[in-house]
Amino acid sequence: MRIDVVSIFPEYLAALDLSLIGKARREKLLDLNVHDLRDYTHDRHRTVDDTPYGGGAGMVMKPEPWGAALARIATESPVSNAPLGDKPILIVPSPAGAVFDQEMAYELAEAQHLAFACGRYEGIDERVLEYASEAFDVRPVSIGDYVLNGGEVAVLAMVEAIGRLIPGVIGNPESLIEESHSDGLLEYPVYTKPGTWEGREVPEVLLSGNHGKIARFRRNKQLERTATRRPDLIVQLDASTLNRHDRDT
Ligand SMILES: COC(=O)COc1cccc(COC(=O)c2cn[nH]c2)c1
């Protein structure tokens, strides 16, 4: 997968050189390119923003640098941008976007080419998204109902969530199976040695070796946690998921 990120703070994305994503880049599982938007300006001050038409506080990101940066990325795309061909996906982190979730992460992990546009200030001139939709499948995406100062933090979160789903990026693909949201429920509590710590014991059932009992314990913990912490997820579950622990007996 090729990933391009455009930002006025490219150093913000240095964290993507670390850990598993960094390893995936070194192993050529991910071709990640970070672009400085200011490299696509032509004035002495490398200006990227200006005052908003219609008035209001703050500044808006100018369209010209974005247009040049995105045109360059589209021409370098490994995905044919013929009208009938797949288009690269341009993700624009925004409080006004569709909510990013594990389902979207799996969908985006299938893409051959993802580009991320990091907005700052009050946002990017809307004409940029219209212009970009010729060469890209443009997706405003929110990572949550709060406002950040820019898209870079959202890109770090999304690249990690997407990157870890790409085959070969994490060592043991089994660990993707039982994690939170993989089956619509939150994950169960985990424990490791020592068996007693600060006077606190590991739940006895986990030491029993009885795999049926352990599976039921874990399932019940998942249901209990989801019901108390995320009741909104419970309503989305179908009966088979809720009753699955019965079949484990
Ligand atoms: C067309 O889209 C844009 O112009 C985006 O512009 C901006 C402006 C300020 C901040 C951000 C970063 O995204 C978030 O704050 C965000 C994402 N998820 N939850 C909060 C983006």
Side-chain angles (χ1 to χ4, degrees), residues 58-236:
M59 301 291 271
V60 173
M61 298 191 98
K62 291 171 60 63
E64 302 96 323
W66 278 108
L70 294 174
R72 165 84 181 278
I73 290 165
T75 52
E76 291 176 1
S77 177
V79 177
S80 77
N81 42 26
L84 295 180
D86 279 341
K87 288 178 179 176
I89 298 173
L90 176 66
I91 295 162
V92 187
S94 166
V99 178
F100 183 73
D101 59 11
Q102 195 63 18
E103 185 182 343
M104 190 187 292
Y106 272 107
E107 181 211 345
L108 295 174
E110 299 290 320
Q112 278 186 284
H113 185 195
L114 295 179
F116 291 88
C118 297
R120 283 259 153 189
Y121 312 111
E122 301 310 308
I124 303 168
D125 186 303
E126 192 63 17
R127 290 170 292 178
V128 173
L129 279 75
E130 294 162 13
Y131 168 82
S133 61
E134 289 162 29
F136 295 90
D137 170 358
V138 179
R139 313 257 187 105
V141 175
S142 165
I143 59 166
D145 292 336
Y146 41 80
V147 182
L148 301 166
N149 289 327
E152 289 79 6
V153 164
V155 171
L156 291 175
M158 287 191 271
V159 168
E160 180 156 324
I162 295 162
R164 64 195 297 276
L165 301 178
I166 293 169
V169 173
I170 66 171
N172 175 9
E174 294 232 332
S175 57
L176 291 178
I177 295 170
E178 280 200 335
E179 57 189 14
S180 272
H181 303 289
S182 60
D183 56 0
L185 293 170
L186 300 185
E187 58 196 3
Y188 49 77
V190 290
Y191 305 83
T192 186
K193 293 184 278 301
T196 301
W197 175 71
E198 297 285 328
R200 298 169 188 277
E201 306 288 323
V202 171
E204 195 63 35
V205 63
L206 298 180
L207 312 175
S208 69
N210 180 327
H211 299 297
K213 269 189 171 178
I214 290 169
R216 273 196 306 284
F217 168 82
R218 286 175 164 173
R219 192 74 188 173
N220 288 334
K221 282 295 178 189
Q222 281 188 280
L223 289 166
E224 180 189 306
R225 272 186 162 190
T226 308
T228 51
R229 297 181 188 177
R230 291 294 305 276
D232 59 298
L233 291 179
I234 289 282
V235 294
Q236 291 167 18

Side-chain angles (χ1 to χ4, degrees), residues 7-63:
S7 166
I8 59 172
F9 294 120
E11 60 277 20
Y12 224 114
L13 287 307
L16 296 175
D17 291 334
L18 304 173
S19 185
L20 289 178
I21 299 299
K23 181 168 165 287
R25 293 175 74 179
R26 288 186 290 280
E27 293 175 352
K28 308 288 183 222
L29 289 170
L30 269 184
D31 168 19
L32 197 146
N33 311 278
V34 180
H35 307 259
D36 184 342
L37 182 67
R38 293 189 195 276
D39 290 346
Y40 296 88
T41 61
H42 303 295
D43 63 306
R44 195 154 59 89
H45 297 293
R46 309 182 81 198
T47 310
V48 292
D49 64 321
D50 204 332
T51 53
Y53 277 118
M59 301 291 271
V60 173
M61 298 191 98
K62 291 171 60 63

